[in-house]
Short mmCIF file of all heavy atoms in Angstrom, two decimals:
data_model
loop_
_atom_site.label_atom_id
_atom_site.label_comp_id
_atom_site.label_asym_id
_atom_site.label_seq_id
_atom_site.Cartn_x
_atom_site.Cartn_y
_atom_site.Cartn_z
N ALA A 531 1.11 -4.78 -19.10
CA ALA A 531 1.81 -5.13 -20.34
C ALA A 531 2.61 -6.42 -20.17
O ALA A 531 2.77 -7.19 -21.11
CB ALA A 531 2.73 -3.98 -20.76
N GLU A 532 3.12 -6.63 -18.96
CA GLU A 532 3.89 -7.83 -18.65
C GLU A 532 3.01 -9.07 -18.68
O GLU A 532 3.39 -10.12 -19.21
CB GLU A 532 4.48 -7.66 -17.24
CG GLU A 532 5.76 -8.36 -16.99
CD GLU A 532 6.28 -8.02 -15.60
OE1 GLU A 532 6.71 -6.86 -15.39
OE2 GLU A 532 6.24 -8.91 -14.75
N GLN A 533 1.82 -8.95 -18.09
CA GLN A 533 0.89 -10.09 -18.00
C GLN A 533 -0.53 -9.55 -17.81
O GLN A 533 -0.78 -8.80 -16.86
CB GLN A 533 1.27 -10.98 -16.82
CG GLN A 533 0.36 -12.15 -16.62
CD GLN A 533 0.72 -12.94 -15.37
OE1 GLN A 533 1.75 -12.70 -14.74
NE2 GLN A 533 -0.13 -13.85 -15.00
N PRO A 534 -1.45 -9.92 -18.70
CA PRO A 534 -2.83 -9.44 -18.54
C PRO A 534 -3.39 -9.79 -17.15
O PRO A 534 -3.23 -10.90 -16.66
CB PRO A 534 -3.59 -10.18 -19.64
CG PRO A 534 -2.54 -10.45 -20.68
CD PRO A 534 -1.28 -10.73 -19.90
N GLY A 535 -3.99 -8.79 -16.51
CA GLY A 535 -4.56 -8.97 -15.18
C GLY A 535 -3.63 -8.59 -14.05
O GLY A 535 -4.08 -8.34 -12.93
N LEU A 536 -2.33 -8.54 -14.32
CA LEU A 536 -1.36 -8.23 -13.27
C LEU A 536 -1.47 -6.77 -12.83
O LEU A 536 -1.33 -6.45 -11.64
CB LEU A 536 0.06 -8.56 -13.73
CG LEU A 536 1.15 -8.54 -12.67
CD1 LEU A 536 0.82 -9.50 -11.52
CD2 LEU A 536 2.50 -8.91 -13.28
N GLY A 537 -1.74 -5.89 -13.77
CA GLY A 537 -1.92 -4.48 -13.42
C GLY A 537 -3.11 -4.28 -12.49
O GLY A 537 -3.04 -3.53 -11.52
N LYS A 538 -4.18 -5.00 -12.76
CA LYS A 538 -5.37 -4.94 -11.90
C LYS A 538 -5.05 -5.46 -10.50
O LYS A 538 -5.46 -4.86 -9.50
CB LYS A 538 -6.50 -5.74 -12.51
CG LYS A 538 -7.77 -5.69 -11.70
CD LYS A 538 -8.87 -6.51 -12.33
CE LYS A 538 -10.10 -6.48 -11.44
NZ LYS A 538 -11.14 -7.37 -11.91
N ARG A 539 -4.29 -6.55 -10.43
CA ARG A 539 -3.91 -7.10 -9.11
C ARG A 539 -3.01 -6.12 -8.35
O ARG A 539 -3.12 -6.00 -7.13
CB ARG A 539 -3.25 -8.47 -9.27
CG ARG A 539 -4.25 -9.54 -9.71
CD ARG A 539 -3.74 -10.95 -9.52
NE ARG A 539 -2.53 -11.26 -10.25
CZ ARG A 539 -2.49 -11.71 -11.51
NH1 ARG A 539 -3.59 -11.90 -12.19
NH2 ARG A 539 -1.34 -11.99 -12.08
N PHE A 540 -2.16 -5.43 -9.07
CA PHE A 540 -1.32 -4.41 -8.44
C PHE A 540 -2.18 -3.30 -7.84
O PHE A 540 -2.00 -2.90 -6.69
CB PHE A 540 -0.32 -3.83 -9.45
CG PHE A 540 0.46 -2.66 -8.94
CD1 PHE A 540 1.43 -2.81 -7.97
CD2 PHE A 540 0.22 -1.38 -9.43
CE1 PHE A 540 2.14 -1.72 -7.48
CE2 PHE A 540 0.92 -0.29 -8.97
CZ PHE A 540 1.89 -0.46 -7.99
N LEU A 541 -3.15 -2.80 -8.63
CA LEU A 541 -4.03 -1.74 -8.13
C LEU A 541 -4.85 -2.21 -6.92
O LEU A 541 -5.07 -1.44 -5.98
CB LEU A 541 -4.95 -1.25 -9.25
CG LEU A 541 -4.26 -0.48 -10.38
CD1 LEU A 541 -5.25 -0.18 -11.50
CD2 LEU A 541 -3.62 0.79 -9.86
N GLU A 542 -5.27 -3.46 -6.93
CA GLU A 542 -6.00 -4.01 -5.78
C GLU A 542 -5.11 -4.06 -4.54
O GLU A 542 -5.55 -3.76 -3.43
CB GLU A 542 -6.55 -5.39 -6.11
CG GLU A 542 -7.69 -5.36 -7.10
CD GLU A 542 -8.07 -6.73 -7.65
OE1 GLU A 542 -7.35 -7.74 -7.38
OE2 GLU A 542 -9.09 -6.80 -8.36
N ALA A 543 -3.85 -4.44 -4.73
CA ALA A 543 -2.91 -4.50 -3.61
C ALA A 543 -2.65 -3.10 -3.05
O ALA A 543 -2.55 -2.91 -1.83
CB ALA A 543 -1.59 -5.17 -4.04
N VAL A 544 -2.56 -2.11 -3.93
CA VAL A 544 -2.38 -0.72 -3.48
C VAL A 544 -3.63 -0.26 -2.73
O VAL A 544 -3.52 0.38 -1.68
CB VAL A 544 -2.06 0.21 -4.68
CG1 VAL A 544 -2.15 1.68 -4.27
CG2 VAL A 544 -0.68 -0.11 -5.25
N ARG A 545 -4.80 -0.60 -3.23
CA ARG A 545 -6.04 -0.25 -2.53
C ARG A 545 -6.07 -0.87 -1.13
O ARG A 545 -6.44 -0.21 -0.16
CB ARG A 545 -7.27 -0.71 -3.33
CG ARG A 545 -8.59 -0.25 -2.69
CD ARG A 545 -9.79 -0.93 -3.25
NE ARG A 545 -9.70 -2.34 -2.93
CZ ARG A 545 -9.96 -3.33 -3.78
NH1 ARG A 545 -10.36 -3.08 -4.99
NH2 ARG A 545 -9.85 -4.58 -3.40
N ASP A 546 -5.67 -2.13 -1.02
CA ASP A 546 -5.61 -2.78 0.29
C ASP A 546 -4.65 -2.03 1.23
O ASP A 546 -4.95 -1.84 2.41
CB ASP A 546 -5.17 -4.24 0.16
CG ASP A 546 -6.21 -5.11 -0.52
OD1 ASP A 546 -7.38 -4.68 -0.66
OD2 ASP A 546 -5.85 -6.24 -0.93
N ALA A 547 -3.51 -1.60 0.69
CA ALA A 547 -2.54 -0.87 1.50
C ALA A 547 -3.11 0.48 1.95
O ALA A 547 -2.93 0.88 3.11
CB ALA A 547 -1.24 -0.65 0.71
N THR A 548 -3.83 1.16 1.07
CA THR A 548 -4.41 2.45 1.47
C THR A 548 -5.49 2.26 2.54
O THR A 548 -5.64 3.12 3.42
CB THR A 548 -4.99 3.23 0.27
OG1 THR A 548 -6.04 2.48 -0.34
CG2 THR A 548 -3.92 3.59 -0.73
N CYS A 549 -6.20 1.14 2.50
CA CYS A 549 -7.20 0.86 3.55
C CYS A 549 -6.50 0.69 4.90
O CYS A 549 -6.99 1.19 5.93
CB CYS A 549 -8.01 -0.39 3.20
SG CYS A 549 -9.19 -0.12 1.87
N LYS A 550 -5.38 -0.02 4.91
CA LYS A 550 -4.61 -0.20 6.16
C LYS A 550 -4.10 1.14 6.68
O LYS A 550 -4.12 1.41 7.88
CB LYS A 550 -3.44 -1.15 5.92
CG LYS A 550 -3.86 -2.57 5.70
CD LYS A 550 -2.65 -3.43 5.39
CE LYS A 550 -3.09 -4.83 5.01
NZ LYS A 550 -1.95 -5.66 4.58
N ILE A 551 -3.63 1.97 5.77
CA ILE A 551 -3.13 3.30 6.15
C ILE A 551 -4.26 4.12 6.79
O ILE A 551 -4.07 4.74 7.83
CB ILE A 551 -2.54 4.03 4.93
CG1 ILE A 551 -1.25 3.35 4.47
CG2 ILE A 551 -2.30 5.51 5.25
CD1 ILE A 551 -0.75 3.82 3.11
N ARG A 552 -5.42 4.10 6.17
CA ARG A 552 -6.55 4.87 6.70
C ARG A 552 -6.97 4.40 8.09
O ARG A 552 -7.34 5.20 8.93
CB ARG A 552 -7.75 4.75 5.76
CG ARG A 552 -7.69 5.66 4.59
CD ARG A 552 -8.91 5.43 3.73
NE ARG A 552 -9.19 6.60 2.92
CZ ARG A 552 -10.01 6.58 1.91
NH1 ARG A 552 -10.66 5.49 1.59
NH2 ARG A 552 -10.21 7.68 1.22
N LEU A 553 -6.92 3.09 8.31
CA LEU A 553 -7.34 2.55 9.60
C LEU A 553 -6.40 2.92 10.73
O LEU A 553 -6.82 3.19 11.84
CB LEU A 553 -7.48 1.03 9.51
CG LEU A 553 -8.69 0.52 8.73
CD1 LEU A 553 -8.60 -0.99 8.57
CD2 LEU A 553 -9.98 0.92 9.43
N SER A 554 -5.09 2.90 10.45
CA SER A 554 -4.13 3.16 11.51
C SER A 554 -2.82 3.70 10.95
O SER A 554 -1.81 2.99 10.89
CB SER A 554 -3.88 1.87 12.30
OG SER A 554 -3.09 2.13 13.41
N PRO A 555 -2.80 4.95 10.52
CA PRO A 555 -1.59 5.49 9.89
C PRO A 555 -0.36 5.50 10.80
O PRO A 555 0.76 5.33 10.32
CB PRO A 555 -2.00 6.91 9.50
CG PRO A 555 -3.25 7.21 10.22
CD PRO A 555 -3.89 5.92 10.59
N SER A 556 -0.56 5.65 12.09
CA SER A 556 0.59 5.74 12.99
C SER A 556 1.31 4.42 13.22
O SER A 556 2.39 4.40 13.80
CB SER A 556 0.16 6.33 14.33
OG SER A 556 -0.79 5.49 14.94
N MET A 557 0.75 3.31 12.75
CA MET A 557 1.41 2.02 12.95
C MET A 557 2.57 1.79 11.97
O MET A 557 3.34 0.87 12.14
CB MET A 557 0.42 0.86 12.86
CG MET A 557 -0.03 0.50 11.47
SD MET A 557 -1.17 -0.89 11.50
CE MET A 557 -0.31 -2.07 10.49
N PHE A 558 2.71 2.67 10.97
CA PHE A 558 3.75 2.48 9.96
C PHE A 558 5.01 3.26 10.31
O PHE A 558 4.95 4.31 10.94
CB PHE A 558 3.21 2.87 8.58
CG PHE A 558 2.08 1.98 8.15
CD1 PHE A 558 0.77 2.38 8.33
CD2 PHE A 558 2.33 0.73 7.62
CE1 PHE A 558 -0.28 1.56 7.96
CE2 PHE A 558 1.29 -0.11 7.26
CZ PHE A 558 -0.02 0.30 7.44
N GLN A 559 6.13 2.73 9.88
CA GLN A 559 7.45 3.27 10.18
C GLN A 559 7.65 4.66 9.56
O GLN A 559 7.34 4.88 8.40
CB GLN A 559 8.51 2.32 9.65
CG GLN A 559 9.92 2.81 9.77
CD GLN A 559 10.91 1.89 9.07
OE1 GLN A 559 10.55 0.94 8.43
NE2 GLN A 559 12.17 2.21 9.22
N CYS A 560 8.19 5.58 10.36
CA CYS A 560 8.57 6.89 9.84
C CYS A 560 9.83 6.72 8.99
O CYS A 560 10.75 6.00 9.37
CB CYS A 560 8.86 7.87 10.97
SG CYS A 560 7.39 8.44 11.81
N VAL A 561 9.85 7.39 7.84
CA VAL A 561 11.02 7.32 6.97
C VAL A 561 11.72 8.66 6.80
O VAL A 561 12.89 8.70 6.45
CB VAL A 561 10.67 6.72 5.59
CG1 VAL A 561 10.32 5.26 5.72
CG2 VAL A 561 9.54 7.48 4.92
N GLU A 562 10.97 9.75 7.04
CA GLU A 562 11.55 11.09 6.92
C GLU A 562 10.58 12.08 7.55
O GLU A 562 9.48 12.27 7.05
CB GLU A 562 11.78 11.45 5.45
CG GLU A 562 12.38 12.80 5.20
CD GLU A 562 13.88 12.86 5.51
OE1 GLU A 562 14.55 11.83 5.50
OE2 GLU A 562 14.36 13.98 5.78
N GLY A 563 10.97 12.70 8.64
CA GLY A 563 10.08 13.63 9.31
C GLY A 563 8.77 12.95 9.69
O GLY A 563 8.77 11.92 10.34
N LYS A 564 7.66 13.50 9.20
CA LYS A 564 6.34 12.92 9.46
C LYS A 564 5.91 11.92 8.40
O LYS A 564 4.82 11.36 8.48
CB LYS A 564 5.30 14.03 9.56
CG LYS A 564 5.46 14.92 10.75
CD LYS A 564 4.36 15.94 10.80
CE LYS A 564 4.49 16.83 12.03
NZ LYS A 564 3.39 17.79 12.11
N ALA A 565 6.74 11.70 7.40
CA ALA A 565 6.40 10.76 6.33
C ALA A 565 6.62 9.32 6.80
O ALA A 565 7.59 9.01 7.48
CB ALA A 565 7.24 11.04 5.08
N ARG A 566 5.70 8.46 6.42
CA ARG A 566 5.74 7.04 6.78
C ARG A 566 5.66 6.19 5.52
O ARG A 566 5.30 6.69 4.45
CB ARG A 566 4.56 6.71 7.71
CG ARG A 566 4.61 7.46 9.02
CD ARG A 566 3.34 7.19 9.84
NE ARG A 566 3.39 7.90 11.10
CZ ARG A 566 3.96 7.45 12.21
NH1 ARG A 566 4.52 6.26 12.22
NH2 ARG A 566 3.96 8.17 13.31
N ARG A 567 5.96 4.90 5.67
CA ARG A 567 5.91 4.00 4.52
C ARG A 567 5.13 2.75 4.86
O ARG A 567 5.33 2.13 5.89
CB ARG A 567 7.30 3.61 4.07
CG ARG A 567 7.27 2.79 2.77
CD ARG A 567 8.61 2.32 2.35
NE ARG A 567 9.03 1.28 3.29
CZ ARG A 567 10.28 0.93 3.51
NH1 ARG A 567 11.26 1.54 2.91
NH2 ARG A 567 10.57 -0.03 4.36
N CYS A 568 4.27 2.37 3.94
CA CYS A 568 3.50 1.13 4.02
C CYS A 568 3.89 0.27 2.82
O CYS A 568 3.85 0.74 1.68
CB CYS A 568 2.01 1.44 3.98
SG CYS A 568 0.93 0.00 3.85
N CYS A 569 4.27 -0.98 3.07
CA CYS A 569 4.61 -1.89 1.98
C CYS A 569 3.35 -2.40 1.31
O CYS A 569 2.33 -2.65 1.96
CB CYS A 569 5.43 -3.06 2.50
SG CYS A 569 7.05 -2.56 3.11
N VAL A 570 3.43 -2.58 0.00
CA VAL A 570 2.32 -3.14 -0.78
C VAL A 570 2.56 -4.64 -0.85
O VAL A 570 3.62 -5.08 -1.30
CB VAL A 570 2.29 -2.52 -2.20
CG1 VAL A 570 1.21 -3.17 -3.05
CG2 VAL A 570 2.09 -1.01 -2.12
N GLU A 571 1.60 -5.41 -0.39
CA GLU A 571 1.75 -6.87 -0.36
C GLU A 571 1.84 -7.44 -1.77
O GLU A 571 1.16 -6.98 -2.69
CB GLU A 571 0.58 -7.51 0.38
CG GLU A 571 0.64 -7.23 1.87
CD GLU A 571 -0.43 -7.99 2.64
OE1 GLU A 571 -0.89 -9.04 2.16
OE2 GLU A 571 -0.79 -7.50 3.72
#
């Protein structure tokens, strides 16, 4: 709604982040118990 195409770019960035998580989940910082966080570029 903010800018046409920006929502699609956001979803692509999230997809890229999920690929990184799948490849090596343990490389990300623990934030609570076993929960970890990956930043979306």
Side-chain angles (χ1 to χ4, degrees):
E532 209 176 290
Q533 179 185 350
L536 191 57
K538 181 181 177 187
R539 290 195 300 272
F540 172 71
L541 291 174
E542 289 169 352
V544 169
R545 185 193 64 224
D546 291 346
T548 61
C549 287
K550 290 176 186 175
I551 291 168
R552 279 179 157 166
L553 287 173
S554 187
S556 62
M557 76 179 239
F558 296 97
Q559 174 187 5
C560 286
V561 291
E562 180 76 23
K564 293 183 179 182
R566 297 175 180 273
R567 186 184 71 202
C568 172
C569 294
V570 176
E571 289 187 25

